[in-house]
Amino acid sequence: MNILTNLDTYQAKAVEETDGPILILAGAGSGKTRVLTHKIAYLMENGIKGENILAVTFTNKAANEMKERVSRLIEGLDGGSLGKSEKHSSEVSAMLPFVGTYHSFCAKLLRVEGKFVGLSSGYLIFDSDDSLTLIKRIMKLLNIGTRFKPTSIANAISSAKGELVTVSAYSNISQTPFGSTVLQVYEKYQKELAAQNACDFDDLLMQTVKLFEMYPNILSKYSGKYRYVLVDEYQDVNTSQYKLTKQLASAYGNLTVVGDASQAIYSFRGADFRNILNFEQDFPSAKVFNLEKNYRSTQNILDVANSIISRNSSHPVLKLWTENDEGEKVSIFNASNEIDEANFIVDRVISSGLTYSSFAVLYRTNAQSRTVEEALLHANIPYRIYGGIRFYERKEVKDILAYLRVIENPKDRVSAARIEKLGKRRLEKFKELVKKIGKIEKVHRPIELIDDILNATQYLLLIDDGSEQGLQRVENVKELKSVASEFENLSTFLENVALMEGKVSPDKSFEAAGQFVTLMTIHAAKGLEFDIVFVIGMEEGLFPHARSMLDPQQIEEERRLAYVAMTRARQKLYLSYASRRLYFGSLSANMVSRFVTDIPEELISSV
């Protein structure tokens, strides 16, 4: 088998170049994973042992896919002489290089070398829940009140570790009351981890970097072992991953990184796309390969995506092209409101005659799923939310509904038990509110009751920890107000919610066969593709998000997010916006998104 047989000219050149620093800028749908896995197999075909190759990526799913592809390619070497018996399969596994996440690599290494940084081989790894539990206990021990949320402090510590900021270094930047509190907790937290022979996920990388810095002989051992280092999604590395990558490639300098600055959409996780921009500065002898041939989408879809991303100026932009058909023009739908927008999706799904799995609905914020979910449920169309849960099953939505149900029915023990878990002081404030409501003759509308509950219990402060996830929780609560605003009394509102909660996909056989419409945020959609894609809510303040409007850098990331959304579509792309939208409990009339008006007219059609 010739490893290069199934590659195009551009991919083959990127695979054949093996030595020295190599930057592969791979556009959406250009066969990034194919190039990476074929390069590994090509190295092995040319005499490099698997044990001397290290390939890292960001998710277990991506790592497993890479392992499977490399395994199949290796089985094909030497004319397939390895065969497919169990014995030979085990031989193939033994031949495989390390392919996994940064965290899994560091966890494995520290089992062997961790004693040099105070970790025995049986050390514990704290997940995010374990870490938060420990932080809450420390805050209680330090008599830190409720001014700062445990999740906010946990996020601050995680961010510090991602930037390789130690406790002593943090003391130099903790000039605010919040920073001083974080420092107190951070110091005690690290001592507690050490006492329990434990580390958290961020420590896995931080401790490995520290180990290599403190013990050059150990660094030499591993950088000498891994003659070739390959990194996937390099635009998503943070400071600790960046530093670790350079350490591992320090002996031989054979570092291949694959990525695309135009798909850098995870700054809220600490990812810094400037690392990919600085690669040639870090490695002046670097060879650069551009993969711009797209195998996924029609040319019209690519032209639309190119017209959006080309307006970014802070990073190089690849101009995608394809040998696929020109395809249909991108359709723009101006809905009268959010319900009209959701019904439009249902109509297109039903009238297409295609299988449900052909469709994906993408949105900027989680809260936008609600109206689409309800429209699909009413039409008996099965759907699944990728990387998330249905609107009425989200914890914060269920919490507010529990408050409302206790107001409606004080004997509701299930709901009462739920709100008791939200804190004693919060429960006392809620009881005071209930008494107050009972003394008022006028009947509160459901939306007014939600506002009263939020004001009395300060529930939003409980869930808003400043993280992206916290902000999404707040938006989900606000979106519940949109539902409530449609009803004049609490009983009818709760009855409607119960009916929506009770609705399930009409036929489980559809889901069992993988036949369902996929709903997801655009962030969750990266790396996926569908025949037909709807990107909804294309309005200023929604997409681009209101939080990004005044920051040029954040606007550029929003534009990259739009680019990612559009390039998920293989055959047909719909962009929709509403003239008026009931959102977060209030009616708004936003301007159409700049990401729509930036598209040349000859590439679009109105529906």
Side-chain angles (χ1 to χ4, degrees):
M1 172 186 174
N2 185 340
I3 291 296
L4 303 178
T5 301
N6 296 321
L7 302 177
D8 66 35
T9 303
Y10 311 94
Q11 293 171 337
K13 286 181 179 179
V15 167
E16 286 180 295
E17 194 67 56
T18 57
D19 292 351
I22 298 165
L23 171 61
I24 302 175
L25 295 173
S30 65
K32 168 180 64 69
T33 305
R34 171 184 287 261
V35 169
L36 206 54
T37 53
H38 276 68
K39 184 180 275 284
I40 293 170
Y42 183 80
L43 287 167
M44 297 182 69
E45 185 181 43
N46 285 276
I48 305 300
K49 293 181 179 179
E51 65 189 41
N52 299 130
I53 302 171
L54 171 66
V56 289
T57 186
F58 283 84
T59 66
N60 289 322
K61 180 183 176 183
N64 290 334
E65 182 184 350
M66 285 174 63
K67 284 179 188 174
E68 290 173 8
R69 290 199 193 188
V70 171
S71 181
R72 288 197 297 270
L73 288 168
I74 293 173
E75 284 179 0
L77 296 179
D78 300 323
S81 60
L82 287 175
K84 294 185 178 179
S85 67
E86 282 189 21
K87 178 181 177 182
H88 288 144
S89 293
S90 64
E91 289 177 8
V92 170
S93 296
M95 292 170 61
L96 284 173
F98 180 91
V99 180
T101 64
Y102 277 102
H103 291 91
S104 63
F105 170 76
C106 293
K108 186 177 180 181
L109 185 147
L110 290 173
R111 295 290 178 199
V112 179
E113 313 290 357
K115 56 183 176 290
F116 294 102
V117 287
L119 292 170
S120 70
S121 60
Y123 73 89
L124 303 172
I125 299 176
F126 275 32
D127 63 20
S128 55
D129 288 338
D130 297 328
S131 296
L132 187 59
T133 298
L134 178 56
I135 284 170
K136 287 178 178 177
R137 184 159 64 84
I138 290 170
M139 290 178 70
K140 190 172 183 180
L141 286 171
L142 295 176
N143 199 28
I144 296 171
T146 58
R147 183 179 178 187
F148 303 116
K149 292 184 282 295
T151 48
S152 298
I153 291 176
N155 289 334
I157 293 173
S158 178
S159 296
K161 291 184 177 184
E163 294 296 314
L164 297 175
V165 177
T166 61
V167 172
S168 58
Y170 199 88
S171 63
N172 297 322
I173 59 174
S174 56
Q175 305 302 317
T176 64
F178 176 70
S180 298
T181 303
V182 171
L183 177 61
Q184 276 185 284
V185 177
Y186 190 3
E187 184 173 20
K188 181 68 173 173
Y189 176 70
Q190 290 305 106
K191 288 179 179 177
E192 285 290 324
L193 287 177
Q196 297 183 48
N197 187 36
C199 65
D200 59 25
F201 282 137
D202 298 301
D203 278 327
L204 292 173
L205 277 81
M206 194 174 185
Q207 293 282 35
T208 303
V209 170
K210 175 184 174 182
L211 174 71
F212 286 158
E213 287 178 337
M214 292 176 61
Y215 299 93
N217 60 317
I218 298 178
L219 172 58
S220 296
K221 173 181 174 181
Y222 286 93
S223 63
K225 175 182 179 181
Y226 296 113
R227 289 180 57 188
Y228 292 88
V229 179
L230 303 95
V231 182
D232 189 20
E233 303 286 13
Y234 194 67
Q235 77 279 352
D236 292 336
V237 298
N238 64 14
T239 299
S240 62
Q241 291 157 344
Y242 168 77
K243 182 68 178 290
L244 179 62
T245 300
K246 292 187 70 175
Q247 288 175 325
L248 289 166
S250 60
Y252 288 96
N254 297 326
L255 172 62
T256 295
V257 303
V258 183
D260 180 11
S262 295
Q263 297 185 74
I265 58 174
Y266 297 122
S267 64
F268 64 91
R269 295 181 186 169
D272 187 350
F273 75 93
R274 289 173 297 183
N275 289 322
I276 200 169
L277 303 186
N278 295 335
F279 190 83
E280 292 176 81
Q281 182 178 320
D282 292 338
F283 304 96
S285 62
K287 301 178 184 70
V288 182
F289 297 89
N290 289 352
L291 301 183
E292 298 176 300
K293 183 179 180 181
N294 177 282
Y295 289 86
R296 176 186 301 156
S297 307
T298 65
Q299 189 61 55
N300 269 329
I301 291 172
L302 296 181
D303 287 345
V304 167
N306 286 335
S307 72
I308 300 298
I309 197 63
S310 63
R311 292 178 178 266
N312 274 8
S313 59
S314 65
H315 56 84
V317 172
L318 300 174
K319 188 171 178 59
L320 299 182
W321 60 277
T322 185
E323 292 180 352
N324 295 339
D325 294 337
E326 184 178 49
E328 293 183 46
K329 291 184 177 182
V330 171
S331 295
I332 310 293
F333 178 61
N334 180 7
S336 57
N337 55 40
E338 73 283 355
I339 296 173
D340 187 28
E341 181 179 57
N343 288 336
F344 171 76
I345 294 170
V346 169
D347 291 342
R348 283 296 186 269
V349 170
I350 292 173
S351 64
S352 71
L354 299 174
T355 58
Y356 294 133
S357 60
S358 301
F359 298 90
V361 182
L362 309 183
Y363 34 81
R364 176 62 181 84
T365 66
N366 249 317
Q368 290 172 260
S369 76
R370 180 189 65 84
T371 50
V372 181
E373 286 186 64
E374 292 186 359
L376 292 171
L377 284 169
H378 285 308
N380 287 327
I381 296 175
Y383 72 91
R384 182 174 293 177
I385 296 183
Y386 184 92
I389 56 178
R390 297 184 175 198
F391 181 79
Y392 290 106
E393 294 173 1
R394 295 168 191 168
K395 180 185 181 301
E396 56 277 8
V397 173
K398 292 174 74 72
D399 285 346
I400 300 303
L401 289 173
Y403 281 121
L404 293 169
R405 283 170 176 148
V406 169
I407 291 174
E408 174 70 8
N409 177 15
K411 295 181 180 180
D412 185 342
R413 294 182 180 178
V414 173
S415 296
R418 184 179 189 95
I419 61 178
E420 283 174 8
K421 294 177 182 178
L422 299 176
K424 291 182 180 179
R425 182 169 176 77
R426 199 163 279 109
L427 180 61
E428 289 172 4
K429 292 292 184 181
F430 175 66
K431 287 180 178 178
E432 291 175 10
L433 172 65
V434 172
K435 290 179 181 177
K436 182 180 176 182
I437 291 172
K439 293 178 181 178
I440 300 174
E441 291 186 7
K442 81 175 189 110
V443 178
H444 279 57
R445 295 178 65 234
I447 189 170
E448 294 169 350
L449 283 172
I450 292 177
D451 282 333
D452 289 343
I453 290 166
L454 295 178
N455 290 332
T457 65
Q458 296 293 290
Y459 180 81
L460 294 183
L461 290 178
L462 174 68
I463 60 174
D464 185 5
D465 57 9
S467 68
E468 183 73 16
Q469 189 178 33
L471 292 169
Q472 287 180 6
R473 292 191 188 109
V474 171
E475 289 179 343
N476 285 329
V477 171
K478 291 180 176 178
E479 182 59 17
L480 185 63
K481 291 172 61 177
S482 295
V483 188
S485 68
E486 299 290 309
F487 297 87
E488 289 298 320
N489 66 76
L490 183 57
S491 298
T492 309
F493 167 64
L494 291 176
E495 181 181 315
N496 176 77
V497 169
L499 290 172
M500 296 309 303
E501 287 177 315
K503 278 183 175 287
V504 294
S505 293
D507 189 341
K508 287 294 182 181
S509 65
F510 279 107
E511 289 201 48
Q515 292 301 323
F516 45 79
V517 175
T518 300
L519 277 59
M520 70 181 87
T521 64
I522 301 168
H523 281 102
K526 189 169 176 290
L528 303 178
E529 57 186 64
F530 302 87
D531 287 340
I532 302 174
V533 170
F534 298 87
V535 186
I536 65 174
M538 299 295 293
E539 299 146 37
E540 291 287 297
L542 193 52
F543 192 24
H545 198 284
R547 295 196 305 269
S548 308
M549 300 288 273
L550 300 178
D551 187 331
Q553 289 187 342
Q554 289 188 27
I555 283 292
E556 287 218 350
E557 180 148 338
E558 291 287 297
R559 190 173 282 112
R560 292 194 291 271
L561 201 55
Y563 173 80
V564 167
M566 294 172 185
T567 54
R568 299 311 94 196
R570 295 191 193 105
Q571 298 173 9
K572 180 65 181 179
L573 174 64
Y574 290 95
L575 307 176
S576 63
Y577 64 98
S579 297
R580 297 175 71 82
R581 183 179 297 274
L582 181 60
Y583 195 59
F584 296 168
S586 61
L587 201 60
S588 61
N590 296 326
M591 293 175 60
V592 61
S593 170
R594 67 192 71 186
F595 303 144
V596 172
T597 57
D598 284 347
I599 302 172
E601 288 188 16
E602 65 268 19
L603 297 177
I604 62 178
S605 65
S606 299
V607 291

